[in-house]
Amino acid sequence: MITLSDYLVLSTILFMIGLFGVVRRKNLLMLFFATEIMLNAVNIGLAAISNYYGDLTGQMFAFFIIAIAASEVAVGLGLLILWFKRKGTIDLDSLQSMKG
Amino acid sequence: MFEAVAFYLFSFLTIAMFSITVMSKNALYSLSSLAAGMIFISAFFFLLNADFLGVVQIIVYTGAVMALYAFGMMFVDTTTDVVEKIANPKLAFVLSALSAILVIIIVISPIVADNIQALYPVSANLGNAQDVGLVLFTKYLVPFEVAAVMLLVAMIGGIILAGKKMDEIHNNSELDDEFNLKV
C-alpha cells in the first residue's frame, strides 16, 4: 500500500536532485533543466496531497505551476539566446562581469 | 499491489532519468532524459487519479517545453562543453542542511495537517476532467485569466528577446563594444 508519505518522500528526492543541479551546474541551460525538475517535484507533492485528502485545490495549484513553468521557459530561453549572441558563452560565471 | 509496483517502477525510472539530466556533461543527453522523466512523472498523476493533470503534463512539457528547449539549443552552441570549475567547500553543508529541513517538514506535515478540511472536494459521480473544469472556471476563474495574460506576455517577451537581429551573424567583439557603449 502506497501512502501519502511515500509520494512526499519521492517528491523530496526529486526536489533534491533539482536543487543539486541548480547549485552544482555552471551551464545556464542545465540550470533551466534543474529548475524544471524542481517544479515537477512540487507538482507530484501537490497532486498526492490532492488525492489523499480528496481536495481539488492541489491539482489547481499544479496547473498554475505548469503555466508558470511554460512562461519561465519562454522568457528564460529568450534571455539565454540574447546572452549567447552577446558573449558567445552560456557559462554562468560569464554573468559575473562586475568582479565584485 | 498494482499501484505499489507502478509506484516503485516509475519512481526508480524518474529518479534515474533526472539524475542523468543533472549529472550529464552533454546537453543533448540531458534534454532527452529530461523529456523521458517528464513522461514518467505523468504516470504518477494517473496513479493519483489526476488524469487531466497527467495529460496536460505530457502535452505541455514533452510537447511544448521540450520543443522550445530543442529550438533554443539550436541557437546556442552546445557541442562545445562548458568547462565547469566547481570550487565551493560550503556546498555540501548547504545541501545537507536544506535536505534535512525538507525531510523534517515532510515528516511533520501529515501530523500537522491531520484536521484538514477539503475546500473543493472531489465529487464522486464526475470524471476528473469535468471536476477540474468545474472548479477552474468557477472558483479559480480570475487566476485562470491572469495566467492566460501571463502566458501572452511571456510569448511576446520571448519573441522580442530572441527574435531581435535574428539574421545577424554572431560577432562577439562588435556586439560587446556596442553593449559597453550603451552601459
Side-chain angles (χ1 to χ4, degrees), chain B residues 27 67 89 106 113 126 131 134 139 142 146 174:
Chain B
I106 276 168
L126 290 182
D131 224 0
L134 274 176
K139 307 290 179 191
V142 174
V146 172
E174 199 180 300

Side-chain angles (χ1 to χ4, degrees), chain A residues 31-51:
Chain A
L31 216 65
F32 281 119
F33 291 168
T35 317
E36 295 295 322
I37 294 173
M38 287 163 83
L39 288 167
N40 270 284
V42 172
N43 273 355
I44 291 180
L46 286 172
I49 288 174
S50 161
N51 186 37

Side-chain angles (χ1 to χ4, degrees), chain B residues 6 26 38 71 178 182:
Chain B
N26 191 328
M38 295 295 180
F71 276 120
E178 194 187 311
K182 267 186 209 158

Side-chain angles (χ1 to χ4, degrees), chain A residues 12 23-26 36 40, chain B residues 22 57 61 84 91 106:
Chain A
T12 323
V23 176
R24 193 83 180 173
R25 300 308 299 263
K26 287 288 174 67
E36 295 295 322
N40 270 284
Chain B
V22 170
Q57 168 88 11
Y61 272 109
E84 298 175 89
L91 187 71
I106 276 168

Side-chain angles (χ1 to χ4, degrees), chain B residues 36-56:
Chain B
M38 295 295 180
I39 291 190
F40 291 142
I41 274 189
S42 74
F44 292 116
F45 294 146
F46 290 122
L47 278 178
L48 288 166
N49 298 319
D51 307 347
F52 191 68
L53 193 55
V55 173
V56 166

Side-chain angles (χ1 to χ4, degrees), chain B residues 41-87:
Chain B
I41 274 189
S42 74
F44 292 116
F45 294 146
F46 290 122
L47 278 178
L48 288 166
N49 298 319
D51 307 347
F52 191 68
L53 193 55
V55 173
V56 166
Q57 168 88 11
I58 291 179
I59 292 174
V60 170
Y61 272 109
T62 46
V65 171
M66 285 305 136
L68 209 57
Y69 274 129
F71 276 120
M73 280 171 64
M74 287 177 198
F75 291 104
V76 177
D77 187 13
T78 48
T79 48
T80 53
D81 289 344
V82 175
V83 182
E84 298 175 89
K85 56 172 196 297
I86 294 149

